[in-house]
Amino acid sequence: MAWAPEARTAAVRGADGTTLEVLRALGSGPRGLVEEEAEERLARHGENTFPGRRPDSWPRRFARSPRDPFTVVLLVLGLVSAAVAAWGTACVIAVLVLVSCVLRTTGEHRADRSAAALRDLLATTATVRRRATATAPPLTRELPVDQLVPGDVVLLAPGDVVPADLRLLRTTALTVHEATLTGESAPVGKSVAADGPGDGGSPALPLGHPHLCFQGSSVVSGSGSGVVVATGADTVLSGALPRAGGRPRPPSPFDRSVNGIAWTLIRFTLLTAPLVLIASALLRGRGLETLPFAVAVAVGLTPEMLPVVVTAALARGAALLARGGEVIVRRLPALHDLGAVDVLCVDKTGTLTEDRPVLALCEGPDGRADPEVLRWAAVNALWTLHLSELPVPDAPDEAILDAAEGVAEDAAEESGPDGGRFEEFEGIDALPCGPGRRLSTAVVRPPGDPRFALAARHTLVVKGAPEDVLDRCARAAGTELDAAGRERLARRAGELAAEGLRVLAVARATCPARSRPYTPADERDLDFVGFVALSDAPAPTAAEALAVLARHGVDVKVLTGDHPGTAARVCRELGLAPGEVVTGERTDALDDAELARLAARTTVFARCAPEHKARVVRALRAAGHTTGFLGDGVNDLAATVAADVGICPRDGVDVVRETADVVLASKDLTALDRAIVAGRRSTGNIAAYLRIALSSNVGNVIAMLVAGLLLPFLPMLPAQVLVQNLCFDAAQLALAFDRPGPGAHLRPALLRPRALLRFVTGFGLLNAVADLATFGVLALALRSMGEAEGQSAFHAGWFTENLLTQALVMLLLRSGRHAAEGRVPGPIRLATAALAVVGLLLPLSPLGPPLSMTPLPPLYYGLLALVLVVYGLLLAAARARQPSPSGV
């Protein structure tokens, strides 16, 4: 991990020198700071808070909201409309832009507040030792984490989150989970530093110092105390923040899609308006009086409601996800990007597995399953815990004790003359693990053995690293253990480790009872009992969630810092074929193109440093995949930024949670799958709007151009175009509330400009044909009318036909279930019915004459019904030949 220089300096300052030298440099001691001095330091150093970004205020977010190309196009058209005194068009555009900006700002502001509420659920206090005065005794009290200062003495207990960077002063079997920093799932042992500087760490990588604890890690077992050496922006955790001048975040799939569609429309718009002016001037001798009509045509080509529909569809999906508190979408376009995800990269620990091991097997020296091995391992775990006065057992001991509790009592009674349940042994003494010591010993008295008789015996039960235990064994299965036998057992331990298991060897020895304490020198001449092997416990919902994601077309890839065998084993247990596991070291030897090809066919990347994860994510994106990344630790930050969609659980570290686009209430892939489905449904609704709006608009524009060239008058007045667009826009907003069909979420949904252009071209031409057929119907029905009356009737007839065909298109081209199923949503039914009513009645109403429209003869309505029937049949036939995409 590339730590920032200031964080590295602060961490190394706490690592260098003896404990006394560090305390002197900090002006502190084991009794803690005086309250007055702590207040002065707080004013000097600032609060111990994460230096993440501050959420933008509502006004600031609103000022930045009109940033997508469609909104910019609308603003430009609004300015042009105002310049040519088309105030109605300008006002309508201004209202649409305002509504879109308010919806977007409100949705993202609400998401930020929800994320802040999730953050408030996390622990915010630390146990600190301070003094009221220099002569007063130290008092231990809970203090808000943001009030910690360098020099404070912090007490650590199991379950505590380390609140700042600490130099340890005292430890008792302390182990710390540093997965948020390093990605390693195994807890790390911590100990007090020796009297000399630099006991195993590296100035370049402060995480190598065993006598330092870092902000964001958590205590697994044991206890300890430490002096704060860095807070706030000086911590190693804060040093992982991306710095100014770093690699910028690439455009999201939503940005790329919207930009592509916007520029396509901009080209059409820039071409259409001048074409109308030139054609009118050359063929009809009209001058600048055609300019308002040309602007109206350009506005008619633009899907004015797109910002509103997009924002409404995404905000509705985000609100439904947030309603149960499971998923918070912090950036509305990220919901579209979730729906487009076809590759999801996840860490193993905490996502596919729980943060605890479980017993995988216990076998004797002959390689066969043997419950006796588990019984002796449980004896060791139980009495090491009690006699060493450890607050709680470490994770492997918890797994062994849980497994032993599940063994049937009758099986334990039949295990031999020393039989009995493991709880029935009486503990005498214990030698726990410690720095440089990878085994533990419990000295027990077997049940029923006399306590004070001369023949009383004690049993030493040893458990630990296989190589350390085997070195102390003299026998196995009642026979002498020679070098070949020891090598065979060591090889078996290696085979189990290669399968991703954590292997512990168990041995015992019997000796005469004695009263003096036992020492490591007594751990010799042992009888080898067997191996116990532990594996990571799969998350309860992981297997089902992976299967559902696969059915939805999402390829899951595991990026972990763990051992390759461990990662592969977990994947197999969850039904995910690991294939060939690729290590971070191998990815270093590949260039970006080679890595992209490798990443496409690889499921598991192990021994990954943060930069390896980010490279894999970028390689997948370069290969054309829409990639999501789920991570919660600082080691996941670079990959979170590199992904199309960064996802973080609520209890992830602040830096990742503040960077992520989506926040989950828990590391549950089931909730994430629901978010992906919601994103695909929202994208389906947006795609339906684009197909309907653009195909109708293109058809109308083509018809307007043809009519403008053929007719001696404008085919539609600017005011009529404005009213027609208002009706279209109001009705099309209902598409944001459509119910996509049952197959809409089965594959990634992405707005694709080229596919949209093909769809719009085909159906736009079909719409233009319907309009031209309507011109023929109008010519036939209005031939007996005078010139002025005929122009008004023509305007009314085309206005009516446009609204009716729009209603028909909304019913037949929407992305939801087929209308034949009788499940058209209420908003769609109301919108299409309203369009039909307005189209038929407006020319007959008192508003008709002000808009230069007059009632139409009955013959027109009969011929129009025939045109609509034929048009509907052609639409249905063309739609049936088209694929039914979840997005275009």
Side-chain angles (χ1 to χ4, degrees):
M1 183 178 297
W3 305 106
E6 53 268 35
R8 186 187 303 116
T9 301
V12 174
R13 183 175 64 240
D16 288 344
T18 65
T19 302
L20 182 59
E21 289 171 346
V22 172
L23 288 173
R24 285 176 176 172
L26 292 169
S28 183
R31 301 171 68 213
L33 294 174
V34 176
E35 290 287 356
E36 183 179 355
E37 172 66 17
E39 292 177 3
E40 293 177 359
R41 295 188 182 193
L42 183 62
R44 185 165 65 251
H45 293 277
E47 292 186 346
N48 178 37
T49 56
F50 176 73
R53 67 171 181 88
R54 284 186 179 179
D56 290 332
S57 63
W58 200 96
R60 182 180 178 86
R61 196 183 293 275
F62 179 80
R64 293 170 47 234
S65 59
R67 58 187 181 268
D68 63 86
F70 280 115
T71 306
V72 174
V73 170
L74 286 179
L75 288 174
V76 171
L77 289 174
L79 293 175
V80 173
S81 300
V84 299
W87 298 110
T89 303
C91 291
V92 170
I93 290 176
V95 170
L96 293 176
V97 171
L98 180 64
V99 170
S100 172
C101 292
V102 168
L103 284 174
R104 171 177 293 176
T105 302
T106 303
E108 293 185 355
H109 187 67
R110 185 185 297 118
D112 261 355
R113 285 191 302 172
S114 300
L118 291 178
R119 183 167 56 249
D120 292 341
L121 297 177
L122 304 177
T124 56
T125 62
T127 305
V128 180
R129 185 180 295 155
R130 282 187 180 175
R131 294 172 290 158
T133 64
T135 58
L139 298 176
T140 300
R141 64 187 181 94
E142 293 292 314
L143 192 72
V145 167
D146 58 11
Q147 301 299 301
L148 290 180
V149 296
D152 264 327
V153 175
V154 176
L155 307 184
L156 299 176
D160 286 350
V161 176
V162 178
D165 288 354
L166 308 178
R167 168 71 179 252
L168 293 173
L169 304 177
R170 177 193 62 80
T171 63
T172 302
L174 181 65
T175 61
V176 174
H177 202 286
E178 292 183 341
T180 56
L181 295 163
T182 65
E184 291 284 355
S185 61
V188 178
K190 296 292 183 178
S191 60
V192 178
D195 290 336
D199 60 340
S202 166
L205 189 61
L207 292 173
H209 295 280
H211 55 280
L212 294 179
C213 281
F214 301 96
Q215 184 184 43
S217 53
S218 58
V219 179
V220 177
S221 64
S223 60
S225 63
V227 61
V228 175
V229 297
T231 60
D234 292 331
T235 63
V236 167
L237 179 61
S238 298
L241 276 169
R243 301 296 172 179
R247 185 190 296 265
R249 188 162 189 173
S252 70
F254 180 83
D255 295 332
R256 295 195 299 270
S257 298
V258 168
N259 288 343
I261 296 170
W263 282 111
T264 300
L265 290 177
I266 288 171
R267 294 186 187 100
F268 273 111
T269 302
L270 293 177
L271 177 65
T272 302
L275 187 61
V276 171
L277 289 173
I278 294 172
S280 297
L282 292 178
L283 299 179
R284 295 296 174 183
R286 302 186 187 111
L288 290 179
E289 67 271 14
T290 316
L291 185 58
F293 176 71
V295 172
V297 171
V299 172
L301 180 62
T302 305
E304 309 99 291
M305 284 297 288
L306 182 62
V308 179
V309 170
V310 167
T311 306
L314 296 178
R316 180 171 179 263
L320 291 175
L321 290 173
R323 187 173 298 170
E326 291 183 338
V327 181
I328 303 297
V329 180
R330 302 188 61 201
R331 183 178 60 85
L332 285 184
L335 188 59
H336 162 272
D337 298 343
L338 266 180
V341 163
D342 60 345
V343 174
L344 176 64
C345 299
V346 300
D347 194 8
K348 177 184 69 67
T349 306
T351 304
L352 302 181
T353 64
E354 298 179 332
D355 291 328
R356 64 180 182 88
V358 293
L359 184 73
L361 60 86
C362 52
E363 65 179 38
D366 57 359
R368 297 179 181 177
D370 187 354
E372 182 79 356
V373 182
L374 175 60
R375 184 169 71 99
W376 287 113
V379 169
N380 171 280
L382 178 66
W383 288 109
T384 300
L385 165 66
H386 289 326
L387 298 178
S388 300
E389 299 182 353
L390 299 178
V392 295
D394 63 8
D397 282 349
E398 284 183 327
I400 289 171
L401 291 173
D402 289 344
E405 287 285 353
V407 175
E409 185 173 347
D410 56 348
E413 292 176 352
E414 296 173 2
S415 59
D418 293 328
R421 292 178 58 85
F422 70 93
E423 303 99 324
E424 297 177 0
F425 288 82
E426 180 182 355
I428 306 297
D429 198 359
L431 303 173
C433 298
R437 175 178 164 81
R438 300 191 300 167
L439 51 78
S440 63
T441 297
V443 183
V444 298
R445 176 183 295 110
D449 200 62
R451 182 171 299 187
F452 302 108
L454 293 176
R457 312 282 288 176
H458 287 168
T459 300
L460 283 72
V461 186
V462 181
K463 173 173 60 68
E467 54 270 32
D468 292 2
V469 174
L470 288 173
D471 286 344
R472 292 164 171 80
C473 289
R475 290 168 300 280
T479 61
E480 293 296 323
L481 188 61
D482 55 14
R486 190 174 284 106
E487 174 62 25
R488 177 180 60 82
L489 293 173
R491 188 165 56 251
R492 175 56 179 164
E495 292 171 354
L496 294 174
E499 295 177 8
L501 299 174
R502 182 175 180 182
V503 185
L504 298 173
V506 181
R508 61 175 179 166
T510 302
C511 64
R514 70 189 192 202
S515 58
R516 62 183 178 84
Y518 287 85
T519 68
D522 297 309
E523 298 167 337
R524 56 183 176 82
D525 200 28
L526 304 176
D527 289 321
F528 179 75
V529 177
F531 295 117
V532 291
L534 307 169
S535 64
D536 291 334
T541 60
E544 178 185 358
L546 288 175
V548 172
L549 286 169
R551 289 198 297 271
H552 289 170
V554 179
D555 187 15
V556 176
K557 297 185 182 296
V558 181
L559 279 58
T560 179
D562 271 352
H563 187 279
T566 303
R569 182 183 183 88
V570 168
C571 290
R572 284 193 294 269
E573 290 178 351
L574 295 175
L576 186 65
E580 180 188 6
V581 180
V582 175
T583 63
E585 182 179 359
R586 181 178 172 187
T587 64
D588 288 334
L590 303 175
D591 60 27
D592 291 343
E594 292 171 334
L595 181 58
R597 290 192 293 270
L598 179 65
R601 62 176 186 270
T602 301
T603 300
V604 180
F605 292 85
R607 293 298 188 202
C608 286
E611 58 270 20
H612 296 139
K613 295 182 180 182
R615 277 199 71 201
V616 171
V617 170
R618 286 194 293 268
L620 289 167
R621 294 192 64 186
H625 296 285
T626 303
T627 307
F629 183 86
L630 172 59
D632 64 345
V634 175
N635 60 309
D636 298 322
L637 177 61
T640 302
V641 173
D644 290 306
V645 187
I647 309 161
C648 180
R650 178 187 70 192
D651 54 358
V653 297
D654 285 350
V655 60
V656 183
R657 192 172 57 244
E658 294 294 336
T659 305
D661 303 305
V662 178
V663 179
L664 304 180
S666 63
K667 265 192 173 182
D668 186 355
L669 291 179
T670 303
L672 183 56
D673 176 73
R674 286 192 288 271
I676 289 174
V677 170
R680 292 178 180 180
R681 287 174 174 167
S682 297
T683 301
N685 289 343
I686 296 169
Y689 166 77
L690 283 170
R691 289 197 299 269
I692 291 170
L694 291 179
S695 58
S696 297
N697 291 355
V698 168
N700 286 336
V701 166
I702 294 174
M704 282 183 182
L705 290 175
V706 173
L709 298 178
L710 297 178
L711 299 176
F713 56 87
L714 291 178
M716 190 171 287
L717 299 179
Q720 295 166 353
V721 174
L722 176 62
V723 173
Q724 174 184 277
N725 287 345
L726 282 174
C727 294
F728 285 176
D729 294 340
Q732 288 165 352
L733 183 60
L735 293 171
F737 304 92
D738 197 3
R739 288 199 307 265
H745 61 277
L746 295 181
R747 57 182 179 275
L750 184 66
L751 297 174
R752 299 180 177 90
R754 291 185 178 179
L756 178 65
L757 182 60
R758 289 194 299 269
F759 187 98
V760 167
T761 301
F763 284 89
L765 290 174
L766 185 59
N767 185 274
V769 169
D771 286 341
L772 295 176
T774 303
F775 294 165
V777 168
L778 287 168
L780 181 63
L782 306 179
R783 58 187 175 180
S784 61
M785 291 186 176
E787 181 178 349
E789 187 183 6
Q791 289 184 19
S792 297
F794 184 93
H795 294 155
W798 196 16
F799 179 88
T800 298
E801 183 264 352
N802 273 339
L803 265 61
L804 292 177
T805 54
Q806 179 73 8
L808 198 59
V809 167
M810 285 184 63
L811 288 174
L812 296 180
L813 296 190
R814 68 188 185 89
S815 64
R817 298 179 175 89
H818 295 296
E821 297 179 11
R823 297 181 181 179
V824 180
I828 302 271
R829 288 199 301 269
L830 291 175
T832 53
L835 272 180
V837 169
V838 171
L840 291 171
L841 299 184
L842 184 62
L844 306 176
S845 72
L847 295 176
L851 292 173
S852 300
M853 289 189 289
T854 60
L856 294 156
L859 175 62
Y860 168 75
Y861 292 105
L863 294 175
L864 178 61
L866 180 61
V867 170
L868 291 176
V869 169
V870 174
Y871 177 58
L873 293 174
L874 292 175
L875 267 183
R879 187 69 180 92
R881 294 175 62 87
Q882 288 281 123
S884 180
S886 54
V888 296

